[in-house]
């Protein structure tokens, strides 16, 4: 039986035209939304009105009677004018919408990156210091937060209406989304992708706090062990350290100073060693074989929970160049 989360949020949803706005982004999205709604409303009124007026004015008076064919410069001007005007209007709306989209999903410098794993049927959250929570997300308002999402099983969708934020959590890949809250309080969190029979119960709360309250919350609930330290432990448990260390019998690349480096591959390509690359290397090691090495690493697909892969990445990220040369790494005690 999969674990099922307890329903935290009561079912009381008042009648609201739009959800509360808890970020600048929410205000901007609503402006676009109401502009589109207004424009569509105007077009409906205009078109229906014209249909009625023309229907009345040009109604058939005698069977077989027809108006003269429309031709000439004036009608061409009107047609070209309409096409240009509508084209510009829609290009403007496209620009408006895509600018907002990039704001949410594009690359942004962020203060805090929080890992989120979707799982039938709960949201598992891990903060940068290792603090964990389930079905709640505590974040400081006024700081730019990045959520790095993935899924343990099927596609889920992390949705916070008050932030106008929705991002799929997809198994096998990392997706990110940014936001900056403008107020404090508790807001609803939903799964917005049908993901199984308890999908409707996969919901929770987002708690927006002042930065000092957030720090207090972290120190009250803080993890005993940071993610890098936990990652080091997993690195040993899963046997990674057996091959990936300097002086190992097996020929495997050492990983100190790896994060962020450009890695040359056996097929002549290069790849930047970011989180997604490291995750791929763990679950599909044949995907990017490092130049000068044999594709002998077994896949760990399905053997390591996503939350532990995040911690292994944190550990590898923490390794500075030369770290493994100075002292024998985790593997020494295997
Ligand atoms: Cu997870 Cu719906």
């Amino acid at each position: 039986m999969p674990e099922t989360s307890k329903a935290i949020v009561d079912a009381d949803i008042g009648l609201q035209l739009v959800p509360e706005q808890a970020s600048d982004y929410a205000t901007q999205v609503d402006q676009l939304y109401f502009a589109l709604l207004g424009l569509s409303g105007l077009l409906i009124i205009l078109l229906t009105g014209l249909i009625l007026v023309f229907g009345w004015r040009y109604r058939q008076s005698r069977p077989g009677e027809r108006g003269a064919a429309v031709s000439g410069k004036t009608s061409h001007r009107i047609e070209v004018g309409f096409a240009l005007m509508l084209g510009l209007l829609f290009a403007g709306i496209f620009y408006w919408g895509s600018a907002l989209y990039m704001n949410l999903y594009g690359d942004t410098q962020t203060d805090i990156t929080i890992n989120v794993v979707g799982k039938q049927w709960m949201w598992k959250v891990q903060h940068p210091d290792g603090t964990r929570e389930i079905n709640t997300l505590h974040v400081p308002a006024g700081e730019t937060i990045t959520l790095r999402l993935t899924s343990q099983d099927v596609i889920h969708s992390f949705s916070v209406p008050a932030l106008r934020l929705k991002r799929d959590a997809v198994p096998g890949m990392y997706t990110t989304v940014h936001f900056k809250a403008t107020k404090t309080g508790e807001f609803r969190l939903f799964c917005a992708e049908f993901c199984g029979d308890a999908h409707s119960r996969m919901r929770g709360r987002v708690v927006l706090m002042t930065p000092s309250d957030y720090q207090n919350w972290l120190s009250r609930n803080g993890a005993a062990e940071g993610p890098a330290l936990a990652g080091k432990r997993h690195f040993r448990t899963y046997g990674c350290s057996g091959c990936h260390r300097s002086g190992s019998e097996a020929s495997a690349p050492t990983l100190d100073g790896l994060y962020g480096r450009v890695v040359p591959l056996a097929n002549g390509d290069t790849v930047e060693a970011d989180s997604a690359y490291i995750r791929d290397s763990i679950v599909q090691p044949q995907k990017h074989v490092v130049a000068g090495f044999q594709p002998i690493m077994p896949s760990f697909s399905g053997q390591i929970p996503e939350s532990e892969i995040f911690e292994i990445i944190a550990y590898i990220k923490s390794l500075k160049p030369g770290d493994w040369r100075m002292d024998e790494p985790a593997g020494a005690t295997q």
Side-chain angles (χ1 to χ4, degrees):
M1 269 295 281
E3 301 164 70
T4 308
S5 61
K6 272 210 201 76
I8 291 178
V9 179
D10 54 84
D12 150 55
I13 298 176
L15 189 64
Q16 277 177 310
L17 186 57
V18 290
E20 201 172 336
Q21 298 168 333
S23 63
D24 286 339
Y25 189 75
T27 322
Q28 292 162 6
V29 168
D30 288 355
Q31 283 164 355
L32 177 61
Y33 175 73
F34 283 111
L36 285 175
L37 202 63
L39 198 64
S40 311
L42 277 179
L43 282 176
I44 287 174
I45 293 170
L46 182 71
L47 289 178
T48 318
L50 285 176
I51 288 172
L52 291 176
V53 168
F54 289 156
W56 171 255
R57 246 189 102 172
Y58 300 111
R59 70 191 184 283
Q60 189 188 47
S61 44
R62 265 203 320 270
E65 188 186 357
R66 288 184 179 180
V70 183
S71 64
K73 262 189 183 154
T74 321
S75 103
H76 287 156
R77 282 211 193 103
I78 292 176
E79 279 179 34
V80 171
F82 257 115
L84 273 180
M85 206 180 67
L86 287 177
L88 282 175
L89 183 67
F90 286 118
I93 291 171
F94 173 77
Y95 176 78
W96 188 356
S98 50
L100 277 181
Y101 180 91
M102 292 315 289
N103 185 341
L104 192 61
Y105 299 119
D107 281 335
T108 305
Q109 286 289 70
T110 57
D111 304 320
I112 298 174
T113 300
I114 296 176
N115 293 323
V116 178
V117 180
K119 181 174 187 290
Q120 285 172 323
W121 285 276
M122 63 179 74
W123 293 108
K124 299 172 95 176
V125 173
Q126 189 171 26
H127 294 260
D129 72 340
T131 306
R132 294 168 191 282
E133 51 185 334
I134 287 181
N135 288 344
T136 51
L137 170 64
H138 288 75
V139 285
E143 290 180 39
T144 308
I145 312 287
T146 296
L147 300 180
R148 193 197 286 138
L149 298 149
T150 190
S151 166
Q152 188 72 53
D153 35 48
V154 298
I155 300 179
H156 304 275
S157 184
F158 190 90
S159 166
V160 186
L163 299 168
R164 306 296 186 274
L165 173 155
K166 187 193 279 178
R167 187 65 154 153
D168 281 1
V170 184
M173 68 184 277
Y174 290 153
T175 50
T176 56
V177 66
H178 323 285
F179 66 93
K180 189 191 222 174
T182 46
K183 57 169 77 166
T184 57
E186 289 194 13
F187 301 91
R188 288 167 203 286
L189 158 66
F190 296 99
C191 175
E193 182 76 54
F194 182 67
C195 56
D197 62 6
H199 155 71
S200 63
R201 279 188 284 151
M202 189 170 163
R203 54 189 188 170
R205 293 175 303 147
V206 171
V207 185
L208 306 178
M209 324 169 86
T210 62
S212 59
D213 283 351
Y214 176 68
Q215 287 309 326
N216 289 338
W217 179 83
L218 280 183
S219 52
R220 271 201 315 277
N221 298 276
E225 185 182 46
L229 213 57
K232 186 176 182 177
R233 193 159 45 74
H234 305 318
F235 197 76
R236 207 177 302 170
T237 314
Y238 291 107
C240 317
S241 50
C243 301
H244 287 280
R245 64 189 162 101
S246 42
S248 155
E249 300 283 298
S251 173
T254 56
L255 305 177
D256 44 344
L258 170 70
Y259 198 91
R261 212 169 64 194
V262 173
V263 180
L265 300 180
N267 64 5
D269 286 348
T270 56
V271 62
E272 191 195 327
D274 58 4
S275 301
Y277 165 77
I278 296 176
R279 186 189 180 284
D280 282 348
S281 301
I282 296 169
V283 298
Q284 334 170 34
Q286 317 299 327
K287 188 172 168 187
H288 304 294
V289 177
V290 179
F293 291 91
Q294 293 302 310
I296 51 171
M297 174 167 159
S299 165
F300 285 79
S301 175
Q303 298 176 43
I304 311 182
E306 291 295 339
S307 51
E308 294 184 6
I309 294 183
F310 275 134
E311 288 167 331
I312 293 173
I313 292 171
Y315 168 56
I316 292 173
K317 196 173 175 178
S318 75
L319 294 168
K320 300 279 170 290
D323 272 6
W324 279 3
R325 245 165 282 133
M326 282 182 262
D327 62 349
E328 200 52 8
T333 54
Q334 256 230 115

